[in-house]
Amino acid sequence: MTERSAGRSRRAVVIPASMVLTAALAFLPGSASAAPAEVAGTTAAAATTAKTASGEKLSYVVNVRPGQASSSAMKKAISKAGGAIVKAYDQIGVIVVHSGDAYFAEKIRKVRGVDSAGATRTAPLPAQGTTDTGAPTLLTAEQAKAAARQADGDEDPLQPLQWDLPAIKADKAHEKSLGSDRVTVAVIDTGVDDTHPDIAPNFDRKASVNCVTGKANTADGAWRPSAQESPHGTHVAGEIAAAKNGVGVTGVAPGVKVSGIKVSTEAGFFYTEAVVCGFIWAAEHGVEVTNNSYYTDPWYFNCSDDPDQKALVEAITRATRYAERKGAVNVAAAGNENYDLAADSITDPVSPNDTTPVEREIDPSECFDIPTQLPGVVTVSATGAKGLKSSFSNHGLGVVDIAAPGGDSTAYQPPAPPATSGLILGPLPGGGYGYMAGTSMASPHVAGVAALIKSTHPKASPKVVKALLKKQADDMACQDPYDIDGDGQADAVCEGGTRYNGFYGAGMADALDAVKK
């Protein structure tokens, strides 16, 4: 998943013009049917961080030794350099700072005890707005009723449309276990509508928060998206843990808890300070699994030879490692550009996405999609209804850990009846349901399977859960050639063997094995 619009969450799938994917479909009771729209990728680029004019505030992260973030000396140094502390995460030595001094980062990097520092954005506060692509297309109530007539006595009404559940044997797993309500999966995303009837029964309020500013906002409902914001996080939450309650759809782990950690701005940007806050919140509130279907803005890839980008990688690396040390398995989407993340070079045309992108060539072994490519994070590629790599899914030998259903164009990978769409069905804010596609949709399937493993083995460490995810995965062989659109030209190259390769990692996630002792 998600797909990708002007960067941000992997909500709007980016695919070449020859491989256009139909837009998301949504169901709202009593609504009329609209013609499907098309989701196209954005083309833009990336440059070095520009200096802001004097007085225009930017947000920064300052990385120091753990335990030194709140020291009086560091506070004085930040103030002297022209910064104001928003939040100090002493556990990992990351400080969120606002400053209108264009040279703040250069000044603070010279301070003794500062490991790295950098601007988290190129647009001044507040972030500039952009428009999402791919508005949902509504289904009629009659179409939903037709699906419900296909459901057997044990299925939720829309489950016949969820081809993705049998693809990972989740339907068979549910005969043995729905997962434990002692396990919580945190959806670090655009916000979750906990009032949705398929999410409300399993929502964990105490583990939910709004982290958009880099500082936790615990006001009731602060984790919810507004009507103008993306439905992405709600859809993801439902894929993981939609209750098996005779309503709508069924999640991969319908007995576990799910929380909402909102980290995206109203414009849809996922900035470093918010993501750091999200991981720390999850770590401090007993979350067992985090799902991360986004990349951290404004850089699709963060390069170690750029001092700003290097600091962002360091801050989020510290946050993910801290969450894992506290017991969380971190799962992330691989991305939707059909990139080979193990290639020698990739063209990044969308960075920085909050001001003016400038095309650049990057080495993905030196420039990282975060949190996707960080050590210890489970990286998930997407498959379609025919079990092949989704046309848009990023891949890469040694980068992708595991695969799961993320959907694809129905023209490329049509599902078996009674399912009708090759995309993934899930809840939308306001009580609706709709189709979306992307590695953003694949990642929550793996997060759900990880939650089932943790339910079955409650004392298992994150290391053990991750090992079981890979060991239990079903082997998937490469396709040679991989010609998803049937035009006679290979659309990607898969490296590796049947047991481990660049398209599918260790293979397809297996929910049935996850519930076996």
Side-chain angles (χ1 to χ4, degrees):
M1 209 210 96
T2 89
E3 324 80 85
R4 195 183 296 274
S5 52
R8 313 192 303 281
S9 74
R10 297 194 151 111
R11 194 185 46 250
V13 173
V14 173
I15 7 184
S18 63
M19 300 163 66
V20 173
L21 181 68
T22 322
L25 304 176
F27 165 69
L28 295 176
S31 61
S33 178
E38 289 183 338
V39 178
T42 55
T43 57
T48 57
T49 306
K51 298 283 185 194
T52 60
S54 179
E56 286 186 333
K57 286 188 176 181
L58 287 184
S59 182
Y60 297 83
V61 287
V62 179
N63 301 315
V64 301
R65 292 188 300 276
Q68 298 300 309
S70 298
S71 70
S72 59
M74 193 56 62
K75 290 179 180 178
K76 289 178 182 178
I78 288 172
S79 178
K80 185 176 180 180
I85 295 176
V86 175
K87 178 67 176 179
Y89 292 101
D90 224 9
Q91 309 99 312
I92 59 173
V94 175
I95 311 169
V96 179
V97 178
H98 287 175
S99 178
D101 188 327
Y103 297 94
F104 170 77
E106 292 179 25
K107 293 177 181 178
I108 201 66
R109 288 180 197 129
K110 297 175 182 177
V111 171
R112 184 177 181 181
V114 172
D115 294 329
S116 59
T120 68
R121 62 191 74 200
T122 61
L125 295 164
Q128 301 302 304
T130 60
T131 301
D132 283 341
T133 60
T137 301
L138 305 181
L139 294 175
T140 65
E142 287 70 25
Q143 289 171 315
K145 289 178 182 177
R149 286 194 291 270
Q150 301 286 335
D152 65 29
D154 295 326
E155 292 183 325
D156 280 343
L158 299 181
Q159 194 172 334
L161 302 179
Q162 293 182 269
W163 59 265
D164 50 306
L165 295 184
I168 59 170
K169 305 176 205 169
D171 54 337
K172 299 298 183 183
H174 296 165
E175 296 174 6
K176 296 180 175 294
S177 173
L178 302 180
S180 169
D181 62 5
R182 300 173 77 94
V183 173
T184 294
V185 180
V187 175
I188 301 178
D189 212 298
T190 63
V192 173
D193 179 9
D194 56 302
T195 69
H196 194 289
D198 246 339
I199 295 174
N202 290 336
F203 192 72
D204 187 341
R205 189 250 179 266
K206 66 176 175 54
S208 299
V209 74
N210 184 316
C211 269
V212 174
T213 66
K215 183 178 181 180
N217 173 2
T218 58
D220 189 58
W223 53 78
R224 297 175 193 142
S226 69
Q228 292 73 41
E229 292 179 288
S230 169
H232 185 263
T234 301
H235 195 283
V236 166
E239 288 180 60
I240 295 167
K244 196 169 181 65
N245 58 353
V247 174
V249 297
T250 301
V252 172
V256 307
K257 295 293 185 182
V258 66
S259 73
I261 299 180
K262 185 176 182 180
V263 296
S264 72
T265 67
E266 288 190 0
F269 292 101
F270 293 68
Y271 286 121
T272 296
E273 62 270 29
V275 174
V276 168
C277 172
F279 279 113
I280 298 299
W281 180 270
E284 299 290 355
H285 289 79
V287 165
E288 284 80 14
V289 183
T290 72
N291 185 81
N292 303 273
S293 293
Y294 59 89
Y295 73 84
T296 306
D297 299 295
W299 310 96
Y300 191 166
F301 296 96
N302 296 263
C303 298
S304 56
D305 61 356
D306 179 283
D308 286 290
Q309 295 166 43
K310 177 182 178 181
L312 309 189
V313 174
E314 177 64 23
I316 294 180
T317 298
R318 292 185 184 193
T320 58
R321 284 176 169 168
Y322 180 74
E324 182 163 345
R325 287 199 302 271
K326 297 287 281 188
V329 174
N330 300 312
V331 181
N336 304 323
E337 283 67 46
N338 194 29
Y339 285 150
D340 181 353
L341 296 176
D344 293 332
S345 178
I346 289 175
T347 301
D348 173 11
V350 299
S351 304
N353 63 9
D354 60 349
T355 47
T356 303
V358 178
E359 186 170 297
R360 61 178 181 168
E361 292 296 314
I362 64 94
D363 178 349
S365 68
E366 299 288 341
C367 303
F368 307 110
D369 176 350
I370 54 176
T372 297
Q373 288 180 270
L374 295 183
V377 174
V378 178
T379 303
V380 184
S381 64
T383 59
K386 292 298 183 183
L388 302 177
K389 183 187 85 72
S390 300
S391 56
F392 50 80
S393 180
N394 288 353
H395 51 98
L397 185 64
V399 179
V400 169
D401 293 305
I402 195 168
D408 203 350
S409 168
T410 306
Y412 297 163
Q413 301 196 57
T420 58
S421 173
L423 311 188
I424 304 297
L425 186 62
L428 299 177
Y433 297 87
Y435 289 101
M436 301 180 84
T439 57
S440 278
M441 279 57 254
S443 180
H445 283 78
V446 173
V449 173
L452 291 176
I453 292 174
K454 186 66 175 178
S455 299
T456 305
H457 306 282
K459 294 184 179 180
S461 67
K463 182 178 181 180
V464 169
V465 173
K466 289 190 291 183
L468 287 173
L469 271 173
K470 294 179 181 180
K471 181 180 179 181
Q472 295 171 352
D474 294 331
D475 292 345
M476 296 181 69
C478 288
Q479 291 77 51
D480 186 21
Y482 172 78
D483 179 17
I484 194 69
D485 57 0
D487 66 354
Q489 301 292 321
D491 296 306
V493 176
C494 180
E495 297 182 313
T498 300
R499 299 188 66 180
Y500 185 78
N501 57 63
F503 274 15
Y504 311 111
M508 180 72 79
D510 189 326
L512 181 57
D513 280 355
V515 298
K516 294 179 179 177
K517 295 289 188 181

